[in-house]
Amino acid sequence: MKGNSTKERILYAALDLFAQKGYDGVGVDLIAEKAGLKGPSLYRHYKGKEDIFNSMIEMVASHYREGFGLHPKAEELPDSMDALIADAMQRLAFTMHDDIVKKTRRIFAMEQFRSARIAELTTRYHLENLQQLYTGMFAALMDKGILKKDDPEYVALEFVSPVSLLIHMYDRQPEREKEVIEKIQKHFEHFANVYACDTRGRG
Amino acid sequence: MKGNSTKERILYAALDLFAQKGYDGVGVDLIAEKAGLKGPSLYRHYKGKEDIFNSMIEMVASHYREGFGLHPKAEELPDSMDALIADAMQRLAFTMHDDIVKKTRRIFAMEQFRSARIAELTTRYHLENLQQLYTGMFAALMDKGILKKDDPEYVALEFVSPVSLLIHMYDRQPEREKEVIEKIQKHFEHFANVYACDTRGRG
DNA sequence: CATTATAGCTAACGGTCGTTCGCATTGTCA
DNA sequence: TGACAATGCGAACGACCGTTAGCTATAATG
């Protein structure tokens, strides 16, 4: 269990349990036990269950913000279609297997209707941030003559959406992981065939 | 409230309430009240809360199966890109505004991890059925020379994924409905530019 | 050293949960 | 009409919920 201070341990315990059974499915005593104390002691650190939940959300949100800060710099742009796909596959592997990211996704899926704040974060997390990242990247690749000239925002949407959707599928049916990865791989290849500059003839 | 028999009324009440607050957020007394009786009377019709939930899921699943049975027959195939998009926009309007469909989506989103059965239905509902529908349609359109020849399965995936993702966004942020519809419309146009046969020059 | 804040605990509160029991009412059918 | 199943109800059960109060031990502070 990550987290050094008790406050942090509580948040990581909450993250893990809420990801398993949802907000209403977890009692405060269980969170406390996982964090190494008794239920009432939680109230020395947080105002209540809702406060624990919100604090945990803000923690993973900032964790995510940091991890996502690694937008590729100009000189790190992929310089070919193959490099683009390799880069995307690496991001995929991280997203699919990082523990915190996985739990965060599950919570967002289950609790997306709990508040406007969470709804907003969910949309950002599942769609907008990814689309924005690739919009910038594709605009640059179009300039460099690697991608065909097109509206980079919508090319990014086409690129990102199947991945996001298939990751959701993996989240709820992890036994189909292989199938998901294969389909994403094939989707990338199909994307390359359609949008790359130097590809002659398709189909 | 739809449903004539008490059994049915209970399921529709459960559908509505579970869609609002999730399984754990709704008590049996509330379901009963909405169905016009008292909590303990539910047990004359179902074995318990879980049974109500599962029965409700099977009801909407079969409701969905029927509604989805309207796969276009060969002679109803769209005969142009414009017709294809018009058809898709009509399906979209239905999906976005039909009450039962909306509630079903919310429940699947919140309860997708509750059982393998629901996980499976969620994937079918959000991805596989749509992809399958358009895979068939696109294969035919490729034969007729309306769409460029390509792997219809992946063309369908590219077509369907942004729509599904943007509908999820609409579900949790209905105040952004206009934006969602615009983006889907633009996505369709972009798709047409990329994949239609008779389109010269893009960008 | 005396004081005070911090952080843990047990006990207990009022409330809600899903469920069961026993009884009353109604409708069906011989 | 009498028997019986079907369907409703109120009362109540044990379990669990989030939270508060009050006590204790330790750590920090003057």
Side-chain angles (χ1 to χ4, degrees):
Chain A
M1 175 65 59
K2 260 190 197 169
N4 303 322
S5 68
T6 304
K7 264 186 102 106
E8 266 191 333
R9 273 193 345 264
I10 292 170
L11 294 190
Y12 280 103
L15 171 64
D16 185 73
L17 291 167
F18 287 147
Q20 286 180 49
K21 318 201 232 180
Y23 182 83
D24 289 325
V26 178
V28 290
D29 284 359
L30 195 56
I31 300 174
E33 189 190 353
K34 186 143 197 149
L37 30 70
K38 299 300 168 77
S41 304
L42 293 178
Y43 291 77
R44 299 290 177 190
H45 304 274
Y46 297 97
K47 281 195 278 191
K49 190 186 181 186
E50 194 80 26
D51 187 29
I52 293 176
F53 180 76
N54 290 329
S55 303
M56 179 270 287
I57 289 291
E58 294 310 319
M59 177 185 72
V60 297
S62 77
H63 176 275
Y64 176 76
R65 209 161 21 241
E66 287 168 21
F68 215 83
L70 37 82
H71 278 222
K73 307 186 171 116
E75 65 270 22
E76 294 169 354
L77 262 182
D79 57 351
S80 72
M81 246 11 219
D82 286 348
L84 170 70
I85 293 181
D87 181 88
M89 286 301 290
Q90 198 154 335
R91 285 173 195 276
L92 176 70
F94 172 76
T95 294
M96 283 178 77
H97 299 122
D98 181 85
D99 209 45
I100 293 182
V101 173
K102 261 164 72 172
K103 291 173 184 169
T104 303
R105 265 203 317 272
R106 281 179 70 108
I107 291 177
F108 279 165
M110 289 186 284
E111 310 300 339
Q112 60 183 307
F113 304 112
R114 184 164 295 274
S115 72
R117 171 79 178 138
I118 299 177
E120 178 198 320
L121 286 173
T122 306
T123 296
R124 276 229 280 276
Y125 189 100
H126 286 160
L127 181 56
E128 290 171 340
N129 278 350
L130 276 171
Q131 189 182 0
Q132 199 176 317
L133 166 65
Y134 280 101
T135 297
M137 200 183 296
F138 288 170
L141 293 179
M142 288 174 192
D143 274 352
K144 297 215 311 186
I146 293 172
L147 274 179
K148 287 181 188 163
K149 290 231 180 285
D150 200 333
D151 183 340
E153 194 180 332
Y154 281 86
V155 178
L157 181 65
E158 321 284 344
F159 183 76
V160 151
S161 300
V163 180
S164 201
L165 224 56
L166 285 163
I167 289 177
H168 290 160
M169 172 174 157
Y170 159 71
D171 283 340
R172 68 184 151 256
Q173 300 180 286
E175 73 277 8
R176 296 174 72 177
E177 172 176 1
K178 253 192 164 173
E179 185 188 343
V180 165
I181 293 180
E182 270 177 30
K183 285 190 170 165
I184 292 177
Q185 176 88 47
K186 275 204 175 185
H187 155 63
F188 284 157
E189 291 166 11
H190 181 258
F191 177 88
N193 279 335
V194 174
Y195 291 99
C197 259
D198 58 348
T199 302
R200 283 164 304 278
R202 314 185 350 247
Chain B
M1 176 65 59
K2 260 188 197 170
N4 303 323
S5 68
T6 305
K7 263 184 103 108
E8 266 193 333
R9 268 187 355 258
I10 293 170
L11 295 190
Y12 280 102
L15 171 64
D16 185 73
L17 291 167
F18 287 147
Q20 285 179 49
K21 316 201 233 181
Y23 182 84
D24 288 324
V26 177
V28 290
D29 284 359
L30 194 56
I31 300 174
E33 190 190 353
K34 185 143 197 149
L37 30 71
K38 299 299 168 76
S41 304
L42 293 179
Y43 291 76
R44 299 292 177 189
H45 305 274
Y46 298 96
K47 280 195 280 191
K49 190 186 180 185
E50 194 79 27
D51 187 30
I52 293 177
F53 179 77
N54 290 329
S55 304
M56 180 269 287
I57 289 290
E58 294 310 319
M59 176 186 72
V60 298
S62 79
H63 177 275
Y64 176 75
R65 212 164 16 245
E66 286 169 23
F68 214 83
L70 35 85
H71 277 221
K73 300 175 178 126
E75 65 270 21
E76 294 169 353
L77 263 183
D79 58 352
S80 72
M81 245 11 219
D82 286 348
L84 170 70
I85 292 181
D87 181 88
M89 286 300 291
Q90 199 153 333
R91 286 174 193 275
L92 176 69
F94 172 77
T95 294
M96 282 178 79
H97 300 123
D98 181 85
D99 210 46
I100 293 182
V101 173
K102 260 164 71 171
K103 290 173 184 168
T104 304
R105 266 204 315 274
R106 280 179 70 106
I107 290 177
F108 279 166
M110 289 186 284
E111 311 300 338
Q112 60 183 310
F113 304 112
R114 185 163 297 273
S115 72
R117 171 79 178 135
I118 299 177
E120 179 198 319
L121 286 173
T122 306
T123 296
R124 277 228 280 275
Y125 188 99
H126 287 160
L127 180 56
E128 290 171 341
N129 277 351
L130 276 171
Q131 189 183 0
Q132 200 176 316
L133 167 64
Y134 280 102
T135 297
M137 202 184 294
F138 288 171
L141 292 180
M142 288 175 193
D143 274 352
K144 300 217 307 186
I146 294 172
L147 275 180
K148 288 181 187 163
K149 289 233 180 286
D150 200 333
D151 183 339
E153 194 181 333
Y154 281 86
V155 177
L157 181 65
E158 322 282 344
F159 184 76
V160 151
S161 299
V163 180
S164 199
L165 224 53
L166 285 163
I167 289 176
H168 289 160
M169 173 174 156
Y170 159 71
D171 283 339
R172 68 184 152 255
Q173 300 180 286
E175 73 276 8
R176 296 174 72 177
E177 172 175 1
K178 254 192 165 173
E179 184 188 343
V180 164
I181 294 179
E182 269 178 31
K183 284 188 170 165
I184 291 177
Q185 176 86 47
K186 275 203 173 184
H187 156 64
F188 284 157
E189 291 166 12
H190 181 258
F191 177 88
N193 279 335
V194 173
Y195 291 99
C197 259
D198 58 348
T199 300
R200 281 166 304 279
R202 313 187 350 250

